[in-house]
Amino acid sequence: MSSATGQKPVTEDLAREFGLTAEEYGNVLSIMGRTPSLTELGIFSVMWSEHCSYKSSRVWLRTLPTTAPWVIHGPGENAGVVDIGQGLAAIFKMESHNHPSFIEPYQGAATGVGGILRDVFTMGARPVANLNALRFGSPENPQTRRIVDGVVRGIGGYGNCVGVPTVGGEINFHPAYDGNPLVNAMTVGIARQDRIFLSAAAGIGNPVVYVGSKTGRDGIHGATMSSSEFDEDALAKRPTVQVGDPFVEKLLIEACLELMATDAIVAIQDMGAAGLTSSSVEMAGKGGVGIDLDLDAVPQRERGMTAYEMMLSESQERMLIVIHPDRTELARAIFEKWELDFAIIGHLTDTGHIVVRHQGRVEADIPLDPLADQAPLYRRPTAPSPEPAPLGPITDPVGIEQALIRLIGCPDLASRAWVWNQYDSTVGGQTVKRPGAADAAIVKVEGTSLGLALTTDCTPRYCRADARQGGAQAVAEAWRNIVATGARPLAVTDNLNFGSPEKPEVMGQFVAAIEGMGEACRALDFPVVSGNVSLYNETRAPDGSSVSILPTPAIGGLGVLDDVNRAIGLAMPDEGTLVLVGATRGELGQSLWLREIHGREDGAPPAIDLAAERRNGDFVRQQIEGGHVLACHDVSDGGILVALAEMAMAGEAGCILSAPQSGMRPEAFWFGEDQSRYVVAVRDAGAFTVAATAAGVETRVLGQVGGDGLTLPSGATISKARLKAVNSAFFPALMDD
Amino acid sequence: MKVRVTVMLKDGVLDPQGKAVGHALHVLGFGGVGEVRIGRVIELELDETDPAAAREKADAMARGLLANLVIEDFVTEVVA
Amino acid sequence: MKVRVTVMLKDGVLDPQGKAVGHALHVLGFGGVGEVRIGRVIELELDETDPAAAREKADAMARGLLANLVIEDFVTEVVA
Amino acid sequence: MKAGIVVFPGTNRERDMAIALRVVTGREPVMIWHGETDLPDLDLVVLPGGFSYGDYLRCGAMAAHAPIMPAIRRFAEAGGHILGVCNGFQILTEAGLLPGALLRNGALRFLSQDCHLRVERNDTPFTRRWNAGDVFRAPMAHGDGNYIADDATIRELEDSGRIAFRYSRPDGRVDEGDRQTNPNGSVKAIAGVLSANLRICGMMPHPEDLVDPLMGGEDGKPLFEGLVEALVR
Ligand SMILES: Nc1ncnc2c1ncn2[C@@H]1O[C@H](COP(=O)(O)OP(=O)(O)O)[C@@H](O)[C@H]1O
Ligand SMILES: [Mg+2]
């Protein structure tokens, strides 16, 4: 077989340019028994890229717990699927678009949202909510503002247009993300359990249908680029930026859901990274069949595209469907109604090969089994990170009041309203708790009494100090945020963002974080049902060395409320007693107080006792279910006093606080970040604490709801107006808005 | 001196707007319309009297702010 | 034949985008910038060989769809 | 009341609108596809929110030329009642069924937040459940809601009482220059306008998203209840 005229000769050097190692290329040669064509080399290189093959992470991901009686499909499908009752399923996943968002923040973030939406509706779900977990560089870095602006506009631009409410997320700033922001987008959808669509192709001879937008030369080699280390050169790889078209995505959602209501579909898969290649290879591979593609039939946006370009294009808003042959005209009519391209571009075969034809020539002919089975799998060397040095004695140079003011105005705690006010959070008419109203967003399942509780969480500074604790903490905080609304936590999706796996210390962080996550998931019956790994998040320092981001295993959590009317928020009610649930030792290691007041990121992160986590959370949820809790907020960044300030700012009333725990320094009590704690407002504190004691849960009365601000034990009152002014200043100042 | 900067998407970059407008024109009954591309014009009143200097200034502004060179190209011209 | 339709806000209609760009240019250190106005260009590939006919067609499209005459003015020109 | 909701490619608040109409009428509104050329027998036509045609070119511009629009025009000429919300309002102005235009928000950002609306008159089918001067809350979610019209048009709207709603403070005070209470910068803080016969109303905020205490309140419900009262045959 000859490669197309005018194309580069395939050599080991070219293979290396494509991101394959010499050894990997050797395997390609032995699988093929000849020199591959350029198109074949392209297919191998993307399928064996970190992004598609998970070659550095696969052995570790397998160790995560992924099952529970309510899990319908765990990792391995386009998204995770869990039973939420009443014959319905929630389908959800999180995915990164980190590198594209650095190169072109608007389009990078927008296409990230588009991609994760497709992962969810491809399974038959109507998307009902989006969330996003964002990490940006230092606010002082002049690039940060441009990136924040573009990313937020991009997420809003896409999500608002497709009409899926953006209901939550999280944002951190840290210099470790200066040249490498993280944009992790999560989508949640709802489907009937008996109408879930999978991607395994079946039925020799069945047509393979292409729908959506036309193919252009967008993002060729995006999959390999997103796996390669990121540096200034990346900016020169520009012209292949993908542009999203949310309008077409909206049409695609409606058209696919309309088709899914019929019996036409055998299998369906979105075209994500490495577009046509990965979708066709994965569908055929999972179904154990062969696939023949005729690229002349592919709808093309540009003239003269080669087979190589079409197979590797990452043009957005496209899907591949295997269809029952007698339903093709029905399907065609639906896509034509929605004014989308529809083309039969191939069929399934019994050859076990993917065969790609273009202009009368076979451009690729690859056996699928070895392409999958012999994909590289690395158990890369790991090195332990040094144990964090103990914090040692610490003083309070500013006092409680000053510290609170500094904390609630700092980048990691400042109000995110500037961000979420650019996201349509109400479209669909089912948003019960909008951003900022509760620890998890609450979205009603239309036409039922059910509610979904949704959150994303991770505390990267904990992960850097101790990746295992940090991994466990991220899972626990997601679980806690769901519990705090009264919902039952069901499952998580994750987005594991790390530096270069070729650095043993990064691999060490990765492995430790997964261990910690796994422990927490097991202890909390909170399995991982989908996820994404993003490695090589590195930037080049001026001295030429490469610097890794903070280890950031972002967790997306999902819970369910059988009766959504029972969901509670965090806003201070107009009456009640404030009670702390959970034990306080006053842990200031890696706390925001330490960072903002002392400028230090030191010490061990707060320890996490998963048995206590479970006990405290189960108790809080039962109390909410029993109708005994007026408001609830978990204690996380910034500790108890920050949690109280956030409740006050969200509500109408303030609070009057009692003296801190005796025998503990006040700053350690008010700002320590001990885990597994909640602040609740209850009407009957006596009954609540008695029930807690019976459940083996430690509680402590913090004070009373009342007044117009935070009245400290000293008698000083910080007015709510002042709290709000400080809290809401950061984003407008950063963005000059 | 008035300068006009015209910013268009680079060749090969998807232009969702242009695509949608092309389609709408077709539906409206305007036949014979091929590709449609949509861009931006920025008209600047500059405190310059030398056309070459004005253009140079506009070029710098386009590179620095007005165009997103990752996906867009630009042209500057002196109009008055 | 390629036709360009340039659509600008009418004089007297406040152009917040233009104002914002003017401000941003100033912040970036570009001095001597007066008024900034931002508009849209639509480049149409038309199946016409006669420039006058092409312009006429483009004018009709601009009146019918491409410009909103309540707030915008337009200019058409044949560019190739 | 028989209500129909027009769905264009890119419309995305048709489900919200259907819920609101169902809440007050107890019956399912008809969905009308943009490609139709006739309307069924209806008391009310609603153009809901969304991003018809992606909001490309100008919001509502392409939808204003959709095949269904001549039928909507005929319906209007025959004295039919039409409500356009958000993108629906933009479409009505682009189609010339309501005066003025909607420009980019003054701050050049999409705004998704609650706002307060002051009811300017209560003798229309859209506002009869309120008193003039009443204030209600509604979510807004748009990038282009900055209402503008030439001076003569604004004067005419004012003089003939065709301003339905203005953005205001919770206490009803209107301050055109205040970004907190007139967030998108609309001229005279205009949030909704009426046709000369008071039977067509366009507004930017979303009363349909506030018809259920669970979603944060029922502030938007009177609009729909008033329509039912006025239009039930
Ligand atoms: N990127 C974002 N998009 C939308 N909402 C966000 C985003 N970041 C934060 N939020 C919302 O802001 C609120 C506070 O965020 P965060 O401090 O992370 O909450 P918590 O500490 O309870 O997890 C939450 O309601 C969250 O969903
Ligand atoms: Mg959080």
Side-chain angles (χ1 to χ4, degrees), chain A residues 122 197-202 264-269 283 320-323:
Chain A
T122 200
F197 292 83
L198 305 179
S199 58
I265 297 175
V266 177
I268 177 166
Q269 163 95 28
M283 288 180 87
L320 206 60
I321 307 175
V322 175
I323 212 159

Side-chain angles (χ1 to χ4, degrees), chain B residues 39-60:
Chain B
R40 259 188 335 275
V41 273
I42 301 108
E43 283 188 3
L44 304 155
E45 200 62 66
L46 294 186
D47 211 2
E48 284 284 349
T49 46
D50 173 35
R55 270 201 60 178
E56 211 168 285
K57 210 163 164 183
D59 280 342

Side-chain angles (χ1 to χ4, degrees), chain B residues 2-80:
Chain B
K2 197 170 186 175
V3 185
R4 180 184 299 148
V5 182
T6 306
V7 181
M8 302 291 288
L9 285 169
K10 285 188 171 152
D11 275 347
V13 174
L14 174 71
D15 178 5
Q17 289 214 68
K19 208 174 74 182
V21 169
H23 180 78
L25 287 171
H26 181 79
V27 170
L28 277 177
F30 291 106
V33 182
E35 208 189 1
V36 179
R37 307 276 294 172
I38 298 198
R40 259 188 335 275
V41 273
I42 301 108
E43 283 188 3
L44 304 155
E45 200 62 66
L46 294 186
D47 211 2
E48 284 284 349
T49 46
D50 173 35
R55 270 201 60 178
E56 211 168 285
K57 210 163 164 183
D59 280 342
M61 293 177 186
R63 277 190 303 269
L65 178 76
L66 305 176
N68 175 357
L69 299 182
V70 179
I71 48 174
E72 295 170 332
D73 290 327
F74 68 91
V75 179
T76 51
E77 58 199 312
V78 174
V79 288

Side-chain angles (χ1 to χ4, degrees), chain A residues 126 149 153 160-161 163 245-247 250 338 418 421-424 426-430 432 434 444 446 737, chain D residues 9-13 15-16 19 33-34 51 53-54 56 108-114 139 141 209 214-215:
Chain A
R126 177 173 284 282
D149 183 69
R153 279 184 198 277
N160 300 347
C161 183
D245 187 345
F247 170 56
K250 168 70 175 162
W338 289 99
W418 182 90
N421 281 349
Q422 296 181 59
Y423 300 153
D424 188 340
T426 53
V427 58
Q430 305 301 315
V432 175
R434 300 186 206 173
K444 184 171 189 263
E446 194 181 334
D737 245 26
Chain D
T11 293
N12 65 29
R13 263 187 165 84
R15 297 154 72 86
D16 312 38
I19 292 168
W33 185 239
H34 71 112
F51 286 66
Y53 296 93
Y56 297 142
L108 302 176
R109 291 193 186 277
F110 191 92
L111 286 170
S112 167
Q113 61 192 58
D114 279 353
D209 277 335
L214 184 61
M215 310 303 161

Side-chain angles (χ1 to χ4, degrees), chain A residues 132 168-171 416 420 423 435-436 439 457 477 481 634 636:
Chain A
N132 53 92
E170 56 179 339
I171 303 171
R416 271 70 181 128
W420 78 57
Y423 300 153
D439 278 343
D457 293 282
E477 184 172 345
N481 280 332
D634 78 311
S636 57

Side-chain angles (χ1 to χ4, degrees), chain D residues 8 23 28 35 39 59 69 75 78-80 87 99 115-116 124 130 132 134 168 180 188-189 201 221 230:
Chain D
F8 300 92
V23 164
E28 210 54 48
L39 290 173
C59 303
M69 288 310 287
F75 180 78
N87 196 226
C115 60
H116 287 90
T124 82
W130 285 291
D134 277 358
S168 78
Q180 294 300 313
K188 308 282 183 197
C201 176
K221 215 167 161 186

